[in-house]
């Protein structure tokens, strides 16, 4: 069963309902994973999304912060929600599609502004979240699984606008990259996006602080799609929908896509 998946940090699903609907109409991924929904589950504007064919949803939400949701045209059932690092935040939801594929949707903590857990509790929470992910995949190797989301780390030199200038900036520090690599290694995950687009600068986030984000192009690739080793070769057609960063009242993230033939 071929299907296309997209992941997008939407930065409020209710505020940005129009552009979520625009993506559903224009791009029509079979599965859409959203992060930072900033909404209780019962307040998510499901009726419009159902009218566009997304008749299945699993989600975890909270008022004003965090929140993750998976919308699908394909039948699916909830497959768990973990509270990594014991934060009590809505940061993970999993769903199992009819074809047996499990999708894990994550919103990893951003980590604050200072890359030192001794003085920045949020940075410690980020590292602890990643450590718990690593330990979970050591304990149970993923099979027929896809992991997506805003992982809030741009791991490679070409995943940031300036490797040298961002080495001490949260999202690209060596300790964060090491933690992310440990998560990947623990689950034998494959970075689908970089398998398809191995070379060149590639970003999925541009700061709101940049008045002309497109011309300045000081981006980071914070949003990811990974596949377990048994299905990694079924993935293809990866892309970032950069244009969405310029839509009306945009998120500061752009959607990332991949297709799978299973």
């Amino acid at each position: 069963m071929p299907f296309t998946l997209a992941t997008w940090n939407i930065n409020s699903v209710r505020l940005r309902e129009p552009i979520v609907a625009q993506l559903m109409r224009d791009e029509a991924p079979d599965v859409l994973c959203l992060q930072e929904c900033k909404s209780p589950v019962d307040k998510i504007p499901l009726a419009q999304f159902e009218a566009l064919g997304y008749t299945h949803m699993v989600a975890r939400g909270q008022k004003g912060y965090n929140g993750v949701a998976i919308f699908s045209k394909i039948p699916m059932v909830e497959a768990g929600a973990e509270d990594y690092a014991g934060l009590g935040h809505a940061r993970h939801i999993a769903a199992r599609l009819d074809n047996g594929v499990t999708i894990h949707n994550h919103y990893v903590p951003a980590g604050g502004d200072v890359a030192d857990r001794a003085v920045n509790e949020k940075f410690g929470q980020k590292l602890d979240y990643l450590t718990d992910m690593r330990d979970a995949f050591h304990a149970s190797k993923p099979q027929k699984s896809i992991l997506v989301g805003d992982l809030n780390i741009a791991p490679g030199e070409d995943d940031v606008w300036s490797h040298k200038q961002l080495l001490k900036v949260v999202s690209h520090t060596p300790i964060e990259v090491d933690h992310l690599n440990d998560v990947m290694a623990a689950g034998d995950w494959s970075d689908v996006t970089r398998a398809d687009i191995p070379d060149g600068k590639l970003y999925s986030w541009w700061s709101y602080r940049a008045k002309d984000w497109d011309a300045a192009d000081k981006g980071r690739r914070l949003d990811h799609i990974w596949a377990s080793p048994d299905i990694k070769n079924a993935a293809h057609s990866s892309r970032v929908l950069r244009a969405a960063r310029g839509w009306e009242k945009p998120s500061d993230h752009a959607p990332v896509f991949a297709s799978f033939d299973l």
Side-chain angles (χ1 to χ4, degrees):
M1 182 185 76
F3 66 96
T4 298
L5 177 148
T7 179
W8 195 8
N9 178 318
I10 194 57
N11 192 16
S12 178
V13 68
R14 287 189 285 172
L15 181 63
R16 296 187 168 82
E17 175 185 357
I19 62 171
V20 174
Q22 181 177 346
L23 185 89
M24 290 174 166
R25 285 192 304 268
D26 296 351
E27 302 294 333
D30 297 292
V31 180
L32 175 59
C33 300
L34 298 181
Q35 305 86 39
E36 207 172 355
C37 295
K38 294 183 176 179
S39 174
V41 173
D42 62 355
K43 300 294 185 182
I44 292 174
L46 186 57
Q48 182 175 349
F49 303 153
E50 287 182 337
L52 293 168
Y54 293 83
T55 53
H56 306 274
M57 180 188 79
V58 297
R60 287 291 184 274
Q62 59 189 98
K63 185 178 179 180
Y65 298 94
N66 308 315
V68 284
I70 303 174
F71 301 93
S72 180
K73 297 179 176 182
I74 304 166
M76 65 179 180
V77 295
E78 185 174 318
E82 299 294 335
D83 182 20
Y84 293 108
L87 300 174
H89 297 172
R91 292 186 176 275
H92 171 257
I93 188 71
R96 186 171 296 110
L97 302 180
D98 258 8
N99 61 5
V101 171
T102 299
I103 299 170
H104 292 274
N105 183 16
H106 283 272
Y107 176 43
V108 172
D113 295 325
V114 181
D116 183 352
R117 69 181 305 153
V119 298
N120 176 13
E121 181 184 22
K122 291 181 178 180
F123 193 71
Q125 291 174 347
K126 182 177 193 174
L127 299 183
D128 291 346
Y129 189 103
L130 294 163
T131 296
D132 279 3
M133 288 178 69
R134 178 202 68 190
D135 292 348
F137 296 137
H138 273 311
S140 179
K141 294 287 186 182
Q143 296 181 326
K144 205 171 183 183
S145 297
I146 301 168
L147 186 153
V148 308
D150 177 5
L151 305 186
N152 262 312
I153 297 172
E157 292 190 16
D158 278 350
D159 295 332
V160 291
W161 64 272
S162 173
H163 170 63
K164 184 176 180 180
Q165 290 175 259
L166 293 181
L167 275 172
K168 295 183 179 180
V169 175
V170 173
S171 77
H172 190 61
T173 65
I175 189 171
E176 292 170 273
V177 173
D178 287 347
H179 273 67
L180 190 70
N181 287 338
D182 287 346
V183 174
M184 292 192 74
D188 295 325
W189 293 105
S190 174
D191 183 341
V192 166
T193 310
R194 276 306 189 188
D196 278 350
I197 312 170
D199 301 315
K201 296 285 189 181
L202 188 65
Y203 314 136
S204 63
W205 174 90
W206 295 262
S207 174
Y208 283 133
R209 296 174 184 173
K211 291 182 179 179
D212 193 345
W213 66 272
D214 194 25
D217 204 23
K218 292 185 175 181
R220 307 176 201 175
R221 186 173 73 99
L222 303 179
D223 305 272
H224 299 263
I225 298 176
W226 297 353
S228 57
D230 50 347
I231 64 170
K232 68 178 184 181
N233 291 331
H236 60 90
S237 302
S238 296
R239 62 191 174 99
V240 176
L241 187 63
R242 180 185 175 111
R245 177 60 179 83
W247 289 353
E248 187 173 355
K249 294 183 180 178
S251 169
D252 46 359
H253 293 253
V256 180
F257 287 75
S259 295
F260 293 83
D261 288 331
L262 294 168

